[in-house]
Amino acid sequence: MIALELSVPVACWRKGRARELVETEVLPPPATCYGALLSLVGEQDRERHRGCRVTAGLLNAPVISTVLRTFWRSKNLKVAKGNDENAAPDQQQLVIDARLVVWCDSREEPDSGESLEDRVVRAMREPGSVTRAGAWSLGESTHLINDARLLPEGRPPAGCRAFLTASTGALTLPVWVDHVGTRGTRYEVGLLEDVSGVPEVQRLPRIPLAEGAG
Amino acid sequence: MSLHVFAAFVTPLGTAANNRGLTEGNITSLQKLVWNGQVHTTVSAESIRFALRRRLNEQEPCNRTYDDASRANEWKDAAFSAWSGKSKEKTYIDDDLLGFMSAEGAKQEKEKGTAKVRRAVLEVSRAVSLTPWSGDVTFNAASPGATPSAQKKGSNPVPYGTEMHATRYQYGVALTPEALRVPARAVTALNQLCALGPVAGNHGRFLFDFSPESVVFRLTQEAAPRILYAFEPSSRAGGVELAALLRKVKSGDVPAKELVLGGQVVEELGAEEREVLSGAELHAGVVAACRAACKRLEVRKK
């Protein structure tokens, strides 16, 4: 198991069903972390590393601020994008100055070449060997990651609160998001737990295999 | 191997007011967030992108332009057809740099919708004030008849208040030139960001000059920029410094040779700080620093 220590100055880990008030989750869901790791290694096929286990832990207690912003939407297809009812102001929660650990374990990835874990290590140690494009963000694309450090043995630099699976947990976060409709979205139930060492692998949420696979 | 261009900008001192005004009663308020434990004002990335698009349109045609008279967006190619695989049409610079998304719902039950998406190659972060907001507010009265919508009855002046913040703003960008359809557009974008001018959000009365007073470029293969929000207020009133960035350079997290600095912040560097930055390019002006960063891109292309 490996981990990355990340700093994210401004972020919003939008709740899937949030509407007028764009609420944020307390920490990035496994699906968001998985996307960030794919971006780091330059992988554009999001199916590529399904089966790995990914989760995040908060090293600090970030402030949550609320701002007003204009959101575009498609209410009237006859009206040009961004005009009239196709744009409206909504409140959005922002997580300020989050310091995180993101864990990744590839043991249960179906054997298909270089694992996500190995690719992350390579991207951090030899960035010149990776072809990738665009800003590296955690959440919305403008919510950029600033600092990153590899923790090869997966041990957090300090105590943190991590999202770990628990059948009776009170927090439900997506592990796979269906962006066209919601039928394919999958969730894991868990809780925020104080962690000071390497978490137990089986309690890391798993990015589900495609339906019918494995 | 990908080369990323990261930049951190800080504006000159100015007075922000009425940015993307949200009226609360008769107060036009500034957007705010808590930064380093204190209330700071903020300007959205969308506002900065809006101002950049306006400048890009002066260089070459943009797909989306804003008509001030009708207060509406106008599109040359609202379907983004130039981006389809078979199209031989010329793509627009704003679509290339700033991306787009055009989604359409399913026409029938159980079918899937479609989406044409191009992720922005140039990402812009939210701007945050360099100093906390101390709560400055002015109270004013509009001339009788000047604001008919607020003038419910009679001809008395309409009172209103405005939150103000005398400060600088800082924000950052990230760009991977090779991901552009036309890589040379990266140079256009950097040049325009270094002369951005007014960022007005959605409100015509607000003007804050976002042409940077100082800039830090980092050209690197690393995915993490490590220079976002690098500017801090210095001990000299109104001055800025880069203490955290200097620590990162000193510790080896950021190689000095990947940095190009320009503007007032360079003028204020002491001998010891210049020593830490040895290997970085230091320029007295923002324009010179931008030129140097662009030159590095051109050298790499060759």
Side-chain angles (χ1 to χ4, degrees), chain B residues 208-260:
Chain B
F208 195 107
D209 185 2
F210 263 59
S211 307
E213 186 183 89
S214 297
V215 63
V216 177
F217 290 104
R218 183 178 179 214
L219 286 87
T220 181
Q221 291 168 355
E222 239 202 309
R226 301 181 194 274
I227 61 167
L228 296 178
Y229 305 104
F231 294 97
E232 300 161 47
S234 73
S235 50
R236 186 183 69 79
V240 295
E241 62 178 31
L242 294 163
L245 178 61
L246 286 163
R247 279 198 299 277
K248 288 179 189 177
V249 174
K250 212 171 177 177
S251 66
D253 282 350
V254 176
K257 64 176 186 199
E258 293 182 349
L259 296 175
V260 180

Side-chain angles (χ1 to χ4, degrees), chain A residues 135-159:
Chain A
W136 186 26
S137 55
L138 191 63
E140 224 175 289
S141 59
T142 58
H143 295 155
L144 308 182
I145 291 166
N146 191 22
D147 299 281
R149 184 160 73 100
L150 180 67
L151 307 165
E153 287 164 16
R155 193 163 291 115

Side-chain angles (χ1 to χ4, degrees), chain A residues 90-104:
Chain A
D90 281 332
Q91 307 277 354
Q92 180 181 28
Q93 288 186 333
L94 295 175
V95 180
I96 307 299
D97 190 27
R99 295 179 190 278
L100 301 136
V101 176
V102 171
W103 281 279
C104 175

